[in-house]
Amino acid sequence: MFRPSTFLPGLRGRTTAALLVLATAATFGLTGCAKDDTPVVGTANTPLATEVPAGTKLVVADQQERLQSVLRASGELDKLPFQVEFANFVGGPAILEAFRAGAADVAPVGDVPPIHALAAGQDVPIVGAQQTSPAALKLAVAPGRTVTALADLKGKKIAYAEGTAQQAAVLRALDKAGLKTGDVQLVRLQLAEFLDAVRTGQVDIAPLIEPNVTRLLRTPGTSLIPDSQTAGIYGGLAYLYARRAVTQDPAKSAAVGALVGAYIRAYQWVNTHREEWAQKYYVENQKVSPDDARRIVESLGTYTFPHLDQQLVDRQQSTIDAIAAAGELPKKVSAANGFDLRYDAVVTRAVTESGASHEPKER
């Protein structure tokens, strides 16, 4: 269900009740029309517009107020050449409902929501990408449970949310342990429910990312499955994606390009201002301690920004294949249909000019 938790205006944006009206229509009356898997063509050879006309506006579906916070802290929000409006959501499925209703234009998400968008017949291409440490996702263990290896997952209740990066992590963990979905109890919850479900013992295991990992460990008796066991279950890949109608509109597509550039520059600012980001976002916004905030920022590593190219498409296809192999996709989909590769020129320019990197540096 589409559940906007808060509406926060951007620097020049305004909130609007129309978002909620359209979202309600999406939840109760609209469904994604299934399409065949014919490759999407037409926009790939159309040059992106670069001029953003006065009065252009984008509605950004944010999560945990993260994108708006990094844009504001880095100073990039003030530089956006268009009006921006932020609506806060929990998880990719809620954002997809907003896209269906035309109530949001662009959003930051993990690597799995774009896959479910394709499966639902929604044309929401990826326009930007970032990479963090794959160790950022943890498999959290409820108090009083003894789970120290992936093999111990057998028979356990595991928090599960379709259409999220956490879904793919659970499926990869089971596959790595030689288990099937039928060997465990998948408890279908909203992402916002994962933390309370595991720390109260309603489930045995939940895949968590920060700052919820830190919040979990405040509960006596909780633990984490060691990283040595969970290596490879989470790719650390996240995206910006936008409605195709937005990327085909000259004014809005130019605004999306400006946002992609700002997104890269803002997270490169985080790379060089870790202490400031820890304070402004994790301490002041997410209400964790300064020590925990510093640890969280370090755990994510250095942000890098992959090219939108065949290598990234292939990587996304491998995630699609993993979900499909578990029987968790309603139809066959192709990763190639979920990208607008024209934005790679924007990515390349922003990475070069900001001093960022396309790939993690070897340690």
Side-chain angles (χ1 to χ4, degrees), residues 18-86:
L19 277 169
L20 187 56
V21 173
L22 287 171
T24 304
T27 302
F28 293 102
L30 298 179
T31 57
C33 299
K35 301 177 181 177
D36 63 24
D37 207 34
T38 304
V40 175
V41 295
T43 60
N45 296 321
T46 304
L48 283 174
T50 57
E51 296 296 324
V52 182
T56 302
K57 179 175 121 176
L58 290 181
V59 179
V60 178
D62 204 358
Q63 297 194 62
Q64 295 184 310
E65 301 175 7
R66 185 180 179 87
L67 180 55
Q68 59 191 292
S69 294
V70 72
L71 290 172
R72 183 172 289 112
S74 64
E76 291 294 330
L77 186 62
D78 292 342
K79 302 173 187 176
L80 292 176
F82 56 89
Q83 297 176 29
V84 60
E85 185 173 310
F86 292 101

Side-chain angles (χ1 to χ4, degrees), residues 66-309:
R66 185 180 179 87
L67 180 55
Q68 59 191 292
S69 294
V70 72
L71 290 172
R72 183 172 289 112
S74 64
E76 291 294 330
L77 186 62
D78 292 342
K79 302 173 187 176
L80 292 176
F82 56 89
Q83 297 176 29
V84 60
E85 185 173 310
F86 292 101
N88 205 43
F89 297 80
V90 179
I95 291 173
L96 184 56
E97 292 289 359
F99 281 146
R100 278 188 179 134
D105 297 320
V106 61
V109 289
D111 58 347
V112 174
I115 296 170
H116 283 264
L118 284 172
Q122 297 298 305
D123 199 1
V124 192
I126 292 161
V127 297
Q130 68 170 220
Q131 175 71 52
T132 57
S133 170
L137 181 142
K138 311 290 185 182
L139 290 186
V141 183
R145 314 299 201 271
T146 302
V147 182
T148 59
L150 292 184
D152 298 333
L153 295 176
K154 187 172 183 179
K156 299 297 188 295
K157 294 180 180 179
I158 304 176
Y160 191 74
E162 292 181 352
T164 68
Q166 287 83 344
Q167 176 191 23
V170 168
L171 296 177
R172 287 193 179 109
L174 295 177
D175 183 65
K176 188 175 181 181
L179 300 173
K180 305 293 185 183
T181 54
D183 295 323
V184 299
Q185 298 179 57
L186 297 178
V187 180
R188 297 175 191 272
L189 301 170
Q190 300 292 324
L191 277 184
E193 300 168 327
F194 276 26
L195 176 59
D196 284 341
V198 69
R199 67 184 173 187
T200 59
Q202 297 174 55
V203 297
D204 303 309
I205 306 292
L208 299 179
I209 58 175
E210 294 289 10
N212 282 342
V213 174
T214 293
R215 292 169 178 149
L216 169 90
L217 295 176
R218 294 172 183 164
T219 303
T222 57
S223 61
L224 303 172
I225 297 179
D227 289 348
S228 59
Q229 284 287 306
T230 59
I233 71 167
Y234 175 65
L237 187 62
Y239 293 127
L240 275 180
Y241 68 160
R243 291 187 295 116
R244 183 77 67 178
V246 170
T247 67
Q248 290 177 328
D249 177 87
K252 288 198 170 188
S253 65
V256 169
L259 181 62
V260 170
Y263 166 84
I264 291 170
R265 291 189 298 271
Y267 278 104
Q268 175 61 9
W269 175 88
V270 171
N271 287 336
T272 58
H273 296 77
R274 292 174 183 268
E275 288 285 338
E276 191 172 348
W277 175 238
Q279 176 64 31
K280 286 185 176 295
Y281 181 65
Y282 288 103
V283 175
E284 297 175 11
N285 186 289
Q286 296 295 302
K287 309 304 181 185
V288 303
S289 72
D291 285 344
D292 284 337
R294 284 190 289 271
R295 179 180 51 75
I296 290 169
V297 169
E298 289 303 316
S299 75
L300 293 171
T302 298
Y303 289 91
T304 56
F305 309 93
H307 278 293
L308 302 184
D309 59 9

